[in-house]
Amino acid sequence: MIHKFEKAKPVLEMIENAGFEAYFVGGCVRDYLLEKPIEDVDIATSATPDEVKKIFQKTVDVGIEHGTVLVIYNGTQYEITTFRTEDKYEDFRRPAGVTFIRSLNEDLKRRDFTMNAIAMDKEGKLIDPFDGQKDIREKRIRTVGIAQERFSEDALRMMRAIRFVSQLSFSLEELTKRALTENKYLLKEIAVERKTVEFEKLLKGVNRREALKLMIETEMFLYLPGLENSRNDLEKMLQDPFDRLSALEMWVLLIYRLGLKNESIEEFLRKWKLPVKKIKMIQKIVHYVSSRLESEWSNRQLFEAKKEVIIHTENVLNVITRNGLALGEKWIEAYDSLPIKDRSELQVSGNDLMKWLDRKGGPWLKELFQKIENAVLNRELLNQKEKIKEWVIKCNQN
Ligand code: ATP
Ligand code: MG
């Protein structure tokens, strides 16, 4: 067993010593079987949240109504979730409530896909009632139970299916795919935030192209924010060599392919409820991408955009214009050799300017600063106090 499981073993033992069952479950077992790096080790147990909290000293209630307690053991956090079934589903969304149970098998039954419904005990023995291992070997995504039912219980599972296609390069089992095509309209009931989480994972998966193709083929895009009318644009985007872009850059490319301009960019991103900071960042990159399609970077633009945005912009541009990666380096070099990276580096203060010109502060100061900045950036003026003084006084005389 690998290190992360070994390290978590005492957690299972402590639960067992208290008289309950405990197993590793879900993504960590799947990724372990796939020999992929494991993110978090999740644990399922027959103990109720209250019982779990009695066993460990450090716990945090993170989702107690769903049966999840966060346990901090030896400096590592573990989500420990009580075996549960889900009550009646309302409106194709998450269940109205959950019922805690004592049976592992019943808990595995409520999970979405066979590959995600495998448990592993502390010795590494697998409990796999739905043949998840076989599906993993054959790279197949198959719902636990009848796909049609499982997707109408919780429509988000359809998006999860496609994001796993993207992450794992698996394909959809036939009935799972058919049920997805038939039930995609149920996605309109799902909270945007949940869709966004899955969509962003989809955007950065190694097999994102296949996943996007499936989104188009199944017409799932019809039920995604702001994509309702974008079949042609999405198909166009499929032609782009986008495999190496980050999720952030994928948003930029998507916006470019959708042909969004000005306010409609923010409107689109708001529909996805992305954080404001991220929206601003994406808008910025979109702005520089379109300006770069017209002309090269000016020193002023490099100065304002700063390194991170320049890199993102060039990466997206390479995809759109199908250039090699070399161009980005050229502009990073240009950025690195700018005489100043920030206004604070100018060897002149507002007080200097007021003194030299014998004027009180006012809007003219800001304008003059910008002029000095541009002159320095374009190497018409050295960033030295005496030189700046000469230059300012001379300008003032003209
Ligand atoms: P990742 O590696 O991306 O975290 P994961 O499989 O761990 O993938 P999570 O969203 O962390 O995905 O969910 C953990 C487990 O909970 C899943 O493996 C699955 O067993 C179960 N699960 C999650 N979401 C659902 C859902 N909507 N319906 C049924 N089971 C789900
Ligand atoms: Mg997980």
Side-chain angles (χ1 to χ4, degrees), residues 181-271:
T181 311
E182 285 166 7
N183 291 278
K184 60 191 180 238
Y185 67 95
L186 297 176
L187 270 175
K188 61 174 181 275
E189 316 287 341
I190 297 294
V192 173
E193 293 87 338
R194 296 181 76 207
K195 289 181 186 172
T196 304
V197 170
E198 301 301 331
F199 190 63
E200 289 210 296
K201 290 186 177 176
L202 183 159
L203 283 180
K204 63 183 177 202
V206 285
N207 200 31
R208 61 188 82 171
R209 191 173 305 280
E210 279 311 308
L212 283 174
K213 257 188 217 164
L214 270 172
M215 241 180 57
I216 302 171
E217 187 192 327
T218 59
E219 295 192 323
M220 208 154 137
F221 69 94
L222 294 175
Y223 306 94
L224 297 181
L227 297 180
E228 301 84 353
N229 300 309
S230 46
R231 176 193 291 276
N232 292 340
D233 299 328
L234 290 171
E235 278 174 350
K236 186 113 189 275
M237 182 165 153
L238 273 185
Q239 312 294 318
D240 289 325
F242 50 55
D243 303 71
R244 290 165 64 180
L245 295 186
S246 66
L248 193 76
E249 293 161 354
M250 287 296 281
W251 281 112
V252 176
L253 180 65
L254 180 59
I255 286 168
Y256 176 75
R257 284 301 171 211
L258 294 175
L260 302 179
K261 298 260 148 56
N262 309 324
E263 304 81 56
S264 57
I265 299 169
E266 185 175 350
E267 201 182 306
F268 173 75
L269 295 169
R270 275 182 185 275
K271 280 188 192 161

Side-chain angles (χ1 to χ4, degrees), residues 89-94 152-156 186 189-190:
Y89 284 78
E90 285 173 358
D91 308 335
F92 320 106
R93 277 180 262 161
R94 279 194 266 209
S152 49
E153 278 169 10
D154 180 0
L156 185 77
L186 297 176
E189 316 287 341
I190 297 294

Side-chain angles (χ1 to χ4, degrees), residues 135-387:
D135 285 329
I136 288 177
R137 274 195 307 274
E138 294 171 12
K139 295 180 170 295
R140 208 163 35 215
I141 298 166
R142 178 204 302 272
T143 54
V144 171
I146 300 166
Q148 164 75 32
E149 288 174 10
R150 301 312 309 284
F151 288 158
S152 49
E153 278 169 10
D154 180 0
L156 185 77
R157 290 171 187 156
M158 295 185 278
M159 276 204 84
R160 287 176 58 84
I162 305 243
R163 78 103 151 152
F164 283 123
V165 167
S166 179
Q167 279 183 324
L168 305 175
S169 305
F170 279 24
S171 50
L172 299 178
E173 174 269 336
E174 208 43 51
L175 291 176
T176 300
K177 185 170 173 183
R178 195 186 304 165
L180 196 153
T181 311
E182 285 166 7
N183 291 278
K184 60 191 180 238
Y185 67 95
L186 297 176
L187 270 175
K188 61 174 181 275
E189 316 287 341
I190 297 294
V192 173
E193 293 87 338
R194 296 181 76 207
K195 289 181 186 172
T196 304
V197 170
E198 301 301 331
F199 190 63
E200 289 210 296
K201 290 186 177 176
L202 183 159
L203 283 180
K204 63 183 177 202
V206 285
N207 200 31
R208 61 188 82 171
R209 191 173 305 280
E210 279 311 308
L212 283 174
K213 257 188 217 164
L214 270 172
M215 241 180 57
I216 302 171
E217 187 192 327
T218 59
E219 295 192 323
M220 208 154 137
F221 69 94
L222 294 175
Y223 306 94
L224 297 181
L227 297 180
E228 301 84 353
N229 300 309
S230 46
R231 176 193 291 276
N232 292 340
D233 299 328
L234 290 171
E235 278 174 350
K236 186 113 189 275
M237 182 165 153
L238 273 185
Q239 312 294 318
D240 289 325
F242 50 55
D243 303 71
R244 290 165 64 180
L245 295 186
S246 66
L248 193 76
E249 293 161 354
M250 287 296 281
W251 281 112
V252 176
L253 180 65
L254 180 59
I255 286 168
Y256 176 75
R257 284 301 171 211
L258 294 175
L260 302 179
K261 298 260 148 56
N262 309 324
E263 304 81 56
S264 57
I265 299 169
E266 185 175 350
E267 201 182 306
F268 173 75
L269 295 169
R270 275 182 185 275
K271 280 188 192 161
W272 284 92
K273 302 209 174 160
L274 290 182
V276 176
K277 236 177 124 181
K278 199 171 199 167
I279 293 182
K280 292 249 178 323
M281 186 66 172
I282 295 171
Q283 278 180 298
K284 228 189 215 175
I285 305 167
V286 173
H287 163 80
Y288 285 114
V289 165
S290 52
S291 133
R292 267 287 278 131
L293 285 165
E294 300 291 319
S295 59
E296 304 207 316
W297 291 91
S298 66
N299 282 354
R300 177 91 215 164
Q301 283 178 317
L302 291 171
F303 173 79
E304 281 176 0
K306 300 216 179 336
K307 205 165 197 160
E308 198 189 346
V309 170
I310 299 169
I311 296 175
H312 289 312
T313 304
E314 289 299 317
N315 287 346
V316 177
L317 210 71
N318 279 329
V319 168
I320 294 172
T321 62
R322 298 181 174 41
N323 282 326
L325 282 166
L327 269 160
E329 279 163 33
K330 168 181 158 185
W331 292 114
I332 292 306
E333 264 170 41
Y335 173 79
D336 283 339
S337 60
L338 287 179
I340 49 167
K341 303 286 191 299
D342 193 90
R343 171 164 299 182
S344 63
E345 293 171 26
L346 277 186
Q347 297 297 315
V348 62
S349 70
N351 277 336
D352 293 334
L353 295 175
M354 291 189 280
K355 201 167 77 194
W356 297 339
L357 300 175
D358 195 21
R359 287 181 71 177
K360 286 206 178 98
W364 65 273
L365 255 181
K366 200 175 157 202
E367 265 169 50
L368 184 53
F369 260 121
Q370 191 148 352
K371 265 193 194 161
I372 301 171
E373 242 168 39
N374 285 341
V376 170
L377 283 169
N378 294 326
R379 300 192 173 78
E380 296 154 15
L381 170 63
L382 276 178
N383 185 23
Q384 290 169 2
K385 197 160 183 163
E386 278 312 305
K387 299 277 178 208

